[in-house]
């Protein structure tokens, strides 16, 4: 039997994963090119949900792969209650400018901004309502992870705004918020108001424009002062009009009586709050919201096409500006609520969400912020189905899992965030198939997203790679979101000499993300586990003290959770010895598992999904592990503990009763957490957790997973793509491979 420290050769430096193909399929070839046709979104993100200290939210945000977040910090949460007296005595612009100068001369000790109250609110106040957050916590967690926030500081018409005293109160509040956020968390992007064109807003357009100019000046002043006082180089970015009507407004800007928020704001974009001409834009990013309840999905492309004409025409500078959607989804919250059968787990919904992403990206949209991260509660107490991640509505509001819509967004962020070159494609022109490609210089990977929206046919996909620097022998991975999968690696294909790869049939209503490394093919190292074992829970009705029993010598592991009794809860642990591999040499890491769902009563349990967590602790042994001593496992429930501190979600796998091998791409996790890999071992916990109330499988249903005791073909595997030795296409098996890797590491 091979040990965990031995390496095995992979045939042709690749492993093939098999996926069933539906009967009756369309056929198409995508010919990729190296011709840049535009750029991908700079920002791919979410609107916030819950984000409280002590929660696991940061771990799931990191797992989501996004690089942007929209944070709500409205004035009623943070502005001191006696703020209506702060503007007393100001009756003209001269007095306003004089007090403004006094604040800017000494931002943190000026007698006008009550910093003690503000700072206490920033640190200690929990925002009430649907999204429970503490401001310093969320901004600090995002900043640590390099995620760019857009801070929405809506101060509604409920605050008096009746002259220069009202303007001063508006200015000092926005200055305080921006100064704090910029000083402590480098926040550059801000919004003044949310959806002023909606029926529940009573603000007039004239008053809204006045407030925008005052707020913009406050934000720019605060960031300039932070740069001056702390040696930073932050650039203020104000986005507006943040309207929901989108291009429906844009296309009727010249119609009498239309809601022309964007037009009027652009026309006065070089005039400040006192009517003075300035040489900069009052707002820099054109922002809008769109939901797909009644508007055609194609509007996401036509929005930008119209704005590319209208913005330069009306903007006082004559220039185009970036366009963002800081709210969007396939449906609105009410739209989903009124359609009980639909959710972000519905194939039509998540494939059309992917289509929206590609359509908006085709017009070089700068930012896409999905609404929203968590399924927090709707007005009637039911979960908001616009939320992408399930959440526990008690305690610290832990995130409990992802929808398939979240998996689509994760793959889209992986392939297209960061303003990468967007490449032209040719080939298939099917009306129900969408495709986009990009190149990421940082990873050296090409990406292709293919969306099959057909509701009754798969799609036989061939990709012609001759225009890309993808060489024969390179291993391409396919990650899939479909009825059967939640973002798993379902295919690994070796590029042939022809550089044309046939990927078989993409399932109906599914999303694929292909990852194609550029340059010289990398060597492949395959690790078997040094340890693998299942553990079993028990309760008062158990026939045996399963919690204290060890099952480390079995050729099957098991994952399961049923509603009947805790004694039918199973979890699986895996550990790989990584001591011979330097993390800097690893360009890709894939965890592969072989298994199928099963039931002890002979029925068909269907598909069973479980979470995979990477652990920081490797202090367990297959011959001694039990439910009671397993790391990061709850004492009473099938649930991973300390998520975000010593356990991190890395993926979800789904098995039905067909024997199969599926994988999880660990690359991003290892790059973000190199210490977990470089400590000499890498451990995983596989647990079937409850994501939402009533989330369980049929009684006595489990996933059986083959262990290393079952033999090499079906053993769990950790596939590593590593920098090869000169003249070597694959890493050789056994001790010699280990030595080669160590020599390179020491050099």
């Amino acid at each position: 039997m091979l040990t965990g420290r031995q390496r095995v050769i992979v045939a042709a430096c690749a492993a093939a994963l098999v996926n069933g193909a539906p009967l009756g399929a369309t056929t198409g070839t995508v010919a990729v090119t190296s011709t840049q046709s535009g750029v991908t979104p700079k920002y791919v993100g979410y609107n916030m949900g819950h984000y409280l200290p002590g929660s696991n939210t940061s771990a799931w945000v990191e797992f989501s792969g996004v690089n942007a977040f929209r944070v709500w910090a409205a004035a009623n949460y943070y502005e001191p209650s006696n703020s209506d007296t702060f503007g007393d005595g100001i009756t003209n612009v001269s007095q306003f400018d004089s007090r403004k100068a006094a604040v800017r001369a000494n931002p943190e000790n000026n007698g006008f901004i009550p910093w003690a109250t503000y700072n206490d609110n920033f640190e200690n106040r929990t925002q009430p309502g649907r999204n429970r957050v503490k401001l310093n916590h969320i901004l600090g967690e995002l900043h640590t992870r390099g995620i760019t926030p857009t801070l929405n500081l809506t101060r509604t018409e409920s605050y008096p705004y009746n002259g220069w005293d009202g303007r001063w109160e508006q200015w000092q509040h926005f200055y305080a918020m921006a100064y704090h956020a910029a000083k402590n968390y480098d926040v550059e992007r801000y919004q003044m108001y949310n959806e002023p064109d909606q029926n529940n807003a009573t603000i007039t357009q004239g008053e809204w424009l006045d407030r925008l100019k005052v707020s913009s000046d406050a934000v720019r002043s605060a960031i300039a002062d932070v740069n001056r006082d702390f040696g930073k180089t932050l650039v203020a970015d104000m986005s507006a009009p943040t309207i929901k009507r989108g291009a429906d407004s844009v296309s009727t800007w010249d119609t009498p009586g239309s809601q022309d928020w964007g037009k009027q704001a652009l026309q006065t974009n070089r005039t400040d709050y006192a009517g003075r001409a300035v040489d900069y834009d009052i707002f820099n990013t054109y922002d809008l919201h769109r939901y797909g309840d009644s508007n055609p999905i194609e509007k996401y492309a036509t929005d930008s096409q119209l704005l590319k004409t209208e913005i330069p025409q009306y903007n006082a500078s004559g220039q185009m500006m970036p366009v963002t959607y800081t709210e969007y989804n396939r449906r609105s919250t009410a739209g989903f609520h009124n359609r009980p059968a639909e959710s972000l787990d519905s194939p039509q919904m998540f494939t059309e969400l992917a289509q929206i992403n590609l359509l908006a990206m085709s017009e070089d949209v700068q930012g896409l912020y999905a609404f929203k991260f968590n399924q927090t509660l709707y007005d009637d107490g039911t979960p908001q189905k616009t939320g992408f991640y399930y959440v526990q509505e008690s305690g610290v509001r832990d995130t409990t899992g992802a929808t398939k819509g979240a998996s689509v967004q994760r793959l889209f962020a992986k392939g297209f965030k960061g303003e990468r070159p967007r490449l032209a494609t040719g080939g298939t022109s099917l009306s129900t198939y969408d495709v986009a490609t990009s190149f990421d210089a940082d990873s050296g990977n090409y990406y292709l997203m293919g969306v099959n929206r057909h509701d009754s046919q798969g799609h036989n996909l061939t990709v012609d790679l001759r225009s890309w620097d993808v060489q024969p022998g390179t291993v391409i991975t396919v990650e899939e979101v479909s009825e059967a999968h939640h973002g798993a690696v379902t295919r690994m294909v070796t590029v042939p000499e022809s550089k044309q790869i046939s990927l078989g049939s993409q399932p109906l209503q599914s999303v694929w993300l292909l990852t194609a490394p550029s340059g010289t093919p990398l060597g492949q190292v395959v690790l078997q586990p040094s340890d693998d074992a299942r553990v079993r829970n028990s309760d008062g009705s158990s026939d045996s003290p399963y919690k204290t029993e060890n099952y480390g010598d079995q050729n099957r592991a098991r994952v399961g959770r049923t509603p009947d009794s805790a004694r039918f809860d199973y979890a699986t642990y895996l550990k790989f010895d990584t001591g011979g591999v330097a993390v800097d040499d690893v360009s890709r890491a894939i965890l592969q598992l072989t298994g199928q769902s099963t039931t002890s009563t002979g029925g068909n349990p269907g598909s069973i999904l479980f979470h995979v967590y990477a652990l920081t602790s490797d202090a367990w042994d297959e011959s001694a592990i039990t439910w009671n001593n397993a790391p990061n496992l709850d004492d009473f429930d099938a649930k991973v503990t300390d998520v975000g501190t010593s356990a991190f979600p890395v993926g979800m796998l789904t098995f039905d009763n067909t024997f199969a091998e599926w994988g999880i791409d660990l690359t991003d996790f290892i790059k973000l957490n190199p210490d977990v890999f470089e400590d000499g071992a890498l451990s995983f916990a596989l647990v079937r957790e409850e994501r939402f109330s009533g989330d369980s499988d049929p009684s006595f249903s489990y996933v059986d997973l083959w262990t290393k005791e079952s033999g090499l073909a079906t053993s769990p595997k950790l596939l590593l793509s590593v920098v090869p030795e000169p003249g070597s296409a694959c890493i050789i098996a056994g001790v010699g491979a280990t030595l080669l890797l160590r020599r390179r590491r020491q050099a």
Side-chain angles (χ1 to χ4, degrees), residues 304-363:
S304 288
Q305 293 166 7
L306 287 165
L307 289 170
K308 285 176 181 178
T309 299
E310 302 288 358
I311 289 175
Q313 177 180 347
Y314 292 109
N315 195 0
S317 69
Q319 301 298 309
M320 181 59 186
M321 63 172 59
V323 175
T324 60
Y325 289 92
T326 54
E327 284 187 31
Y328 79 106
N329 203 315
R330 177 58 187 88
R331 296 205 186 282
S332 65
T333 299
F336 271 129
H337 189 69
N338 294 331
R339 297 171 175 84
E342 290 183 352
S343 73
L344 287 171
D345 284 310
S346 304
Q348 180 182 348
M349 294 295 99
F350 65 70
T351 53
E352 290 182 350
L353 178 71
Q355 179 194 16
I356 286 169
N357 288 338
L358 300 193
L359 282 171
M361 183 172 66
S362 71
E363 296 297 328

Side-chain angles (χ1 to χ4, degrees), residues 391-409:
V391 66
Q392 181 179 342
E393 283 286 356
S394 62
V396 294
R397 269 64 176 185
D398 276 336
T399 294
T400 55
T403 66
K404 289 184 177 178
S407 293
V408 167
Q409 295 302 93

Side-chain angles (χ1 to χ4, degrees), residues 617-635:
S617 172
D618 305 307
W620 63 275
D621 182 272
E622 68 173 16
S623 64
I625 191 171
T626 68
W627 189 283
N628 273 354
N629 63 27
N632 296 91
L633 192 58
D634 185 85
D635 290 340

